[in-house]
Amino acid sequence: MPAAASVAPVPPQTSRTQAPPSGPAPSGTPSDAPSDAQQEVTVVDPALVKRAVKAAALGNAMEWFDFGVYSYIAVTLGKVFFPSGNPTAQLLSTFGAFAAAFLIRPLGGMVFGPLGDRIGRQKILALTMIMMAAGTFAIGLIPSYATIGVGAPILLLLARLVQGFSTGGEYAGASTFIAEYAPDKKRGFLGSWLEFGTLAGYIGGAGLVTLMTALLSTDDLLSWGWRIPFLIAGPMGLIGLYLRMKLEETPAFAAELAKAHKDEQSRPKVRLREMVTGQWKALLLCMGLVLVFNVTDYMLLSYMPSYLTSELKYDETHGLLVVLAVMALMMCVQPFAGALTDRVGRRPVIAAGCVGFLLLSVPALLLIRQGSLWAIGLGMAALGLLLVCFTASMPSTLPALFPTKVRYGSLSIGFNISVSIFGGTTPLVVTALIGATGNMMMPAYYMMAAAVVGGIAVWFMTESAGRPLPGSGPAIEGGSAEASPR
């Protein structure tokens, strides 16, 4: 199934260009991008698009299996690496290491993003894949606190920093790759498979943790069982690397490379300053959209399993099963929501998610706090379906904020700064807020605040559905009426 992390470009023999249709350029085209009349039309082979998205999806699923396992086994990791008589202190320490990886993500974005605009999307995505797998595999080898003392949490932190640094170039590159490869009228649908892969990876991680929790005794889980999901990352990383190495460059980057050769340059030249000061309006919009997307995403998929266990004293296995079922529901809806963004636009779908979280966060959390299985499932399902408004829209929305020349770099910077400050710190901040105030409704209030910021960003963003990416000409699917000779 497609999902995506990076999408392969069309090989030269399978794509072609033709004169663009006559008529004015669509409204909303950025002023710094050439008009359609100045751009050639890219015709892509549907079979190649499908194959590329499938390969990218598997890579992304593996990436987020590695990353998600840490969240789902957080309570156990707290006992292994941060011994303490206070369970809340253990959880805070574990999520502190989780959040630390996000603090280094902007640095990874500043390194990998410009490289992606200079040497290519595919090479950087292959590199981030192997680094992420190596960092995760290393966690499975770290001795416990009981064995080596303070060295254990230090090594855990170092491994998390490797993960965070590599992830700094992952999402921006993956969404850029798909966006530059997809036909304009299907960009939302194809982009939605990126988060489908994320959910598949999370389900794989959650399912494995749930299975181990059910089959292993507490002592076995603490002594050796917790290592299994992390050690699996080694072979999975090699498979993901193979898949990404088989991909080719996007037509948009190939055009930039050809332009650089024409100007007698070996590679496109982009300064970091151009990616930031030259795109400051788009960066602010990107950060606002990413804030609401990631606060709600990490709240539901990373924090809620621990919230159910540590704060509500809910059975750990049942809590993970509920989250697993919610993610399966989201996967079922995801492609249809992505296709909907191609029909009605990205802005209405994202706006619906913001309004939903503003109005329903408190009722949903009250249902969850009620404690019965049906109430928890209903509250979590409501939040999951609202989250789909973002997971289905963002992979196609965010790359369309920036022109081709700086897309990978600018998106990496804006995305990772916002994720680092707001998204990845969500479990830590909410846990600390609950500890400081004693108010168990803090998760709902945090999501509502994020929804307000996201709503403001949606108000100012330009609709991009069905339109060429800034800096590129129209992209259409081979075999369609548009692509047929006139």
Side-chain angles (χ1 to χ4, degrees):
M1 290 185 182
S6 49
V7 179
V10 186
Q13 70 271 23
T14 58
S15 65
R16 64 185 188 276
T17 58
Q18 63 185 39
S22 59
S27 60
T29 302
S31 58
D32 61 342
S35 67
D36 291 354
Q38 298 171 315
Q39 295 282 339
E40 292 182 324
V41 176
T42 298
V43 182
V44 295
D45 185 337
L48 285 176
V49 174
K50 184 177 180 180
R51 188 177 68 189
V53 175
K54 282 183 178 180
L58 290 173
N60 196 60
M62 292 173 188
E63 182 104 14
W64 285 96
F65 171 90
D66 298 345
F67 201 78
V69 160
Y70 187 96
S71 302
Y72 296 120
I73 206 166
V75 174
T76 300
L77 290 181
K79 297 175 183 177
V80 172
F81 290 102
F82 304 98
S84 168
N86 187 338
T88 300
Q90 286 182 337
L91 195 60
L92 275 171
S93 299
T94 306
F95 280 136
F98 183 83
F102 286 86
L103 298 180
I104 201 172
R105 281 183 67 155
L107 180 59
M110 290 179 185
V111 172
F112 291 124
L115 281 175
D117 284 326
R118 181 171 175 78
I119 69 175
R121 285 62 160 125
Q122 181 267 344
K123 294 181 180 65
I124 299 303
L125 286 168
L127 178 60
T128 59
M129 177 78 252
I130 196 63
M131 286 184 66
M132 182 71 179
T136 308
F137 185 76
I139 293 177
L141 301 177
I142 300 173
S144 67
Y145 184 93
T147 303
I148 62 172
V150 72
I154 291 175
L155 290 175
L156 175 65
L157 179 61
L158 289 175
R160 288 290 301 145
L161 292 177
V162 171
Q163 287 180 316
F165 187 79
S166 62
T167 307
E170 171 61 27
Y171 187 91
S175 55
T176 292
F177 210 64
I178 295 176
E180 291 181 350
Y181 197 83
D184 296 334
K185 292 186 177 180
K186 289 189 175 181
R187 188 168 292 118
F189 172 71
L190 293 174
S192 69
W193 290 103
L194 175 62
E195 291 297 328
F196 186 97
T198 298
L199 292 167
Y202 266 101
I203 284 181
L208 183 56
V209 171
T210 303
L211 182 64
M212 293 192 309
T213 303
L215 297 179
L216 298 179
S217 66
T218 301
D219 290 340
D220 286 342
L221 192 63
L222 286 171
S223 63
W224 57 268
W226 67 268
R227 299 182 185 274
I228 294 175
F230 296 102
L231 295 177
I232 289 176
M236 289 181 69
L238 293 177
I239 296 172
L241 179 63
Y242 171 78
L243 292 172
R244 291 187 172 186
M245 291 299 291
K246 297 291 286 184
L247 301 176
E248 299 176 29
E249 269 305 341
T250 67
F253 180 79
E256 286 292 322
L257 195 59
K259 182 180 177 182
H261 285 314
K262 186 177 180 181
D263 295 339
E264 299 183 351
Q265 300 173 5
S266 59
R267 293 287 179 183
K269 292 184 178 180
V270 185
R271 293 184 176 88
L272 185 62
R273 180 178 179 182
E274 183 180 352
M275 296 179 178
V276 179
T277 59
Q279 302 292 326
W280 67 271
K281 291 182 180 179
L283 280 172
L284 287 177
L285 289 177
C286 175
M287 291 174 66
L289 293 170
V290 171
L291 184 152
V292 65
F293 173 26
N294 277 269
V295 165
T296 53
D297 188 286
Y298 284 102
M299 185 75 75
L300 181 64
L301 303 185
S302 297
Y303 176 71
M304 289 310 295
S306 297
Y307 177 81
L308 292 174
T309 301
S310 62
E311 305 294 349
L312 301 185
K313 311 304 178 186
Y314 196 70
D315 178 77
E316 186 173 352
T317 301
H318 287 145
L320 288 172
L321 285 173
V322 171
V323 177
L324 196 67
V326 170
M327 289 189 290
L329 173 64
M330 291 173 63
M331 287 179 68
C332 294
V333 177
Q334 180 78 8
F336 298 100
L340 181 66
T341 70
D342 288 321
R343 280 177 162 270
V344 305
R346 325 288 190 225
R347 294 181 75 233
V349 175
I350 299 173
C354 292
V355 172
F357 274 107
L358 187 62
L359 298 179
L360 299 179
S361 290
V362 168
L365 195 60
L366 287 174
L367 272 175
I368 293 170
R369 285 182 48 74
Q370 196 269 345
S372 64
L373 182 60
W374 73 267
I376 291 175
L378 186 60
M380 294 283 285
L383 295 176
L385 291 175
L386 289 174
L387 180 57
V388 169
C389 293
F390 305 143
T391 59
S393 304
M394 295 299 179
S396 54
T397 299
L398 298 176
L401 295 173
F402 306 100
T404 304
K405 187 177 181 181
V406 298
R407 182 171 294 125
Y408 198 154
S410 295
L411 180 51
S412 291
I413 293 169
F415 184 89
N416 288 298
I417 288 176
S418 188
V419 171
S420 298
I421 297 174
F422 305 106
T425 59
T426 293
L428 177 65
V429 171
V430 173
T431 301
L433 287 173
I434 292 175
T437 65
N439 190 334
M440 303 292 284
M441 295 301 295
M442 279 297 170
Y445 301 148
Y446 205 67
M447 289 187 289
M448 292 170 67
V452 171
V453 175
I456 295 172
V458 172
W459 179 268
F460 286 101
M461 67 175 275
T462 301
E463 182 58 68
S464 60
R467 298 171 181 172
L469 292 171
S472 299
I476 59 178
E477 191 173 47
S480 67
E482 281 183 277
S484 60
R486 286 175 171 77

